[in-house]
Amino acid sequence: MTEPVMMFKKPSYPVNANLLEYLKRFDRLSKVSIIYDDLLRFAGSVTVYDKLDEDTLWIRVYYNECERDEIDLTLKKVYSLLHSDGNLGIIKFLNVDSIDFCTFGNSKPFRIKVRNILNDNYTHFYIKKADASRIYGLELEHILSPDKINFLVYQDTLIEEHIMGIPGDVFIKTLLKDCTETEKSQIAKEFVKFNERSMIRLLGDMRSYNYVIVPIHDFDQVVYRIRAIDFDQQCYEGNFKVYRPQFFKENYPMVKLVKEKLQDSSIEQYKDEERSVLAKRMLSAETRINILLEIMGNDFLAPAAHTQQLQMELYNYTNDLNFKKAKSMGNIMTAAFDFVVRNYQNINLLKSKD
């Protein structure tokens, strides 16, 4: 198994006027004035360690007293907008416990911990530099995945809700071995579906630390779901393997599990199931997706060489001429979605004739 090579660090792409209009139409624009660069003016920081006393690559930042009150109030307003449609009445019950900054990765996010002082429940959200690729990825995740996701944009600032779950690399390292054989089979099934979903919607770099495992208790069993948490690599790389989690060495334990637990016929069945579910979601949200894809088609999201490489690799994979005709990454997405929907409709047509 040859691991995909990612040659360059992905740049951040600006949010154009058409995408901003789309975000406004679908209520994704923040009504709170929050600027990423404002949070960069911290006065100092300390390293954040995990329970095993290992460096998390996050630092906890603090601000001058004259700025902290205003920053706290703004962050509470952002929280209320994300979780209660901007109800300012809850602000008096909120406390900003910490602001952490990560210097690792493309987005260099701030992680905000907000606590309800009445019951000590807390949650997190993230503030990042707005990047068009990531916004397209988040919006496609919201429309096409089993889970919805909240995010807001203000000028060049992106606000994202926290996606709960166990980081994939942590789960594989510490918890996978203790799962029952039935649970391992269910995780293998979920990985097949996650792999197919990532490939079809061209979400790249789904290494184990870029997704989470979500255990859900259902009667007398635990069902595991896989959710992406990093959307920077939406429609950027030219190498098709980058969009298929099965080819990353970090996911080898998952691939091994699939080989051990699932027969080839079952793998194909689960792939078909995922394509069918995706096609149904595409058709049910057809207007919204078409608007988004038109904006993507006219946006610059990757170097021309990446687009040309990917369109030819997808053509070789599918023999669909629409990939050859694509002029941009957005056009490739359109061709991919059309391919999935067309196959789904053809299968249903054959079933109806039977």
Side-chain angles (χ1 to χ4, degrees):
M1 182 173 67
T2 305
E3 187 180 19
V5 177
M6 299 169 67
M7 297 296 293
F8 308 101
K9 182 177 179 181
K10 181 193 159 296
S12 179
Y13 290 105
V15 181
N16 66 31
N18 290 330
L19 180 54
L20 279 174
E21 188 60 34
Y22 171 93
L23 295 171
K24 181 180 179 181
R25 175 174 178 175
F26 292 101
D27 203 24
R28 293 294 198 189
L29 293 185
S30 172
K31 302 175 183 67
V32 178
S33 304
I34 180 73
I35 304 296
Y36 174 88
D37 288 348
D38 290 342
L39 296 180
L40 288 174
R41 299 200 305 264
F42 50 85
S45 65
V46 293
T47 301
V48 177
Y49 296 94
D50 63 17
K51 293 178 181 178
L52 300 176
D53 212 28
E54 295 181 0
D55 190 345
T56 62
L57 302 179
W58 289 82
I59 57 174
R60 184 147 300 162
V61 301
Y62 54 89
Y63 298 83
N64 292 324
E65 200 165 326
C66 61
E67 292 187 302
R68 180 69 197 225
D69 288 345
E70 182 183 352
I71 289 172
D72 278 11
L73 179 60
T74 302
L75 294 175
K76 291 175 187 178
K77 288 179 179 178
V78 169
Y79 173 91
S80 71
L81 195 60
L82 267 180
H83 295 284
S84 61
D85 282 335
N87 176 15
L88 299 183
I90 69 171
I91 285 180
K92 58 181 176 290
F93 304 120
L94 302 177
N95 187 72
V96 178
D97 277 9
S98 62
I99 303 174
D100 298 337
F101 179 58
C102 183
T103 57
F104 177 75
N106 283 335
S107 58
K108 293 186 170 54
F110 284 93
R111 180 178 62 199
I112 318 300
K113 179 180 178 181
V114 177
R115 178 172 54 89
N116 186 314
I117 61 176
L118 296 179
N119 53 33
D120 270 350
N121 286 333
Y122 66 87
T123 189
H124 297 89
F125 65 90
Y126 299 85
I127 295 179
K128 308 173 180 180
K129 274 283 191 184
D131 170 34
S133 305
R134 189 173 184 89
I135 291 171
Y136 288 124
L138 285 164
E139 188 65 14
L140 289 169
E141 176 76 4
H142 179 78
I143 298 170
L144 296 177
S145 84
D147 306 283
K148 303 305 179 187
I149 186 167
N150 288 328
F151 70 93
L152 297 167
V153 175
Y154 181 80
Q155 295 181 9
D156 64 346
T157 298
L158 174 63
I159 304 156
E160 286 180 40
E161 72 172 354
H162 174 65
I163 298 174
M164 291 187 290
I166 305 165
D169 55 339
V170 174
F171 183 89
I172 290 170
K173 183 178 179 181
T174 63
L175 299 174
L176 181 58
K177 63 181 182 297
D178 296 324
C179 290
T180 66
E181 296 308 307
T182 300
E183 288 170 346
K184 288 178 180 178
S185 295
Q186 194 273 324
I187 292 168
K189 169 186 173 181
E190 180 64 17
F191 185 78
V192 169
K193 292 193 168 192
F194 177 70
N195 187 80
E196 195 71 8
R197 189 162 67 245
S198 300
M199 178 187 71
I200 290 170
R201 52 162 291 194
L202 299 181
L203 178 61
D205 196 20
M206 283 296 104
R207 285 177 268 196
S208 57
Y209 49 77
N210 286 332
Y211 59 80
V212 293
I213 311 293
V214 185
I216 302 170
H217 292 265
D218 180 34
F219 294 105
D220 59 348
Q221 66 173 335
V222 179
V223 177
Y224 294 90
R225 297 275 293 280
I226 302 178
R227 290 193 65 182
I229 59 172
D230 192 316
F231 304 94
D232 289 336
Q233 290 286 341
Q234 177 68 52
C235 297
Y236 175 72
E237 293 287 343
N239 185 345
F240 182 39
K241 286 184 177 180
V242 169
Y243 304 103
R244 306 175 73 185
Q246 69 189 78
F247 288 109
F248 287 104
K249 64 181 181 183
E250 291 86 352
N251 293 329
Y252 176 71
M254 291 295 207
V255 175
K256 184 169 180 283
L257 204 62
V258 170
K259 290 179 179 178
E260 291 173 350
K261 294 296 180 182
L262 303 179
Q263 297 180 0
D264 289 347
S265 58
S266 294
I267 293 172
E268 290 307 312
Q269 175 196 337
Y270 297 142
K271 286 181 178 180
D272 289 342
E273 288 178 6
E274 191 61 26
R275 292 187 203 116
S276 176
V277 169
L278 283 171
K280 289 176 183 177
R281 291 186 186 128
M282 290 171 191
L283 290 170
S284 65
E286 188 173 11
T287 300
R288 184 167 182 168
I289 287 177
N290 286 343
I291 295 170
L292 186 66
L293 289 178
E294 184 177 355
I295 296 168
M296 287 183 73
N298 294 311
D299 207 347
F300 181 80
L301 298 173
H306 289 200
T307 302
Q308 292 162 8
Q309 178 187 356
L310 184 59
Q311 67 180 151
M312 290 309 300
E313 290 192 16
L314 282 169
Y315 169 71
N316 292 332
Y317 185 74
T318 63
N319 291 319
D320 187 337
L321 283 171
N322 287 327
F323 288 109
K324 260 191 173 182
K325 298 174 184 175
K327 298 285 194 294
S328 68
M329 281 294 186
N331 293 158
I332 292 176
M333 283 294 314
T334 301
F337 287 4
D338 286 347
F339 180 82
V340 172
V341 170
R342 206 164 55 243
N343 283 348
Y344 168 75
Q345 291 173 330
N346 288 340
I347 290 170
N348 282 347
L349 183 63
L350 289 173
K351 286 180 181 177
S352 66
K353 288 181 178 179
D354 292 341

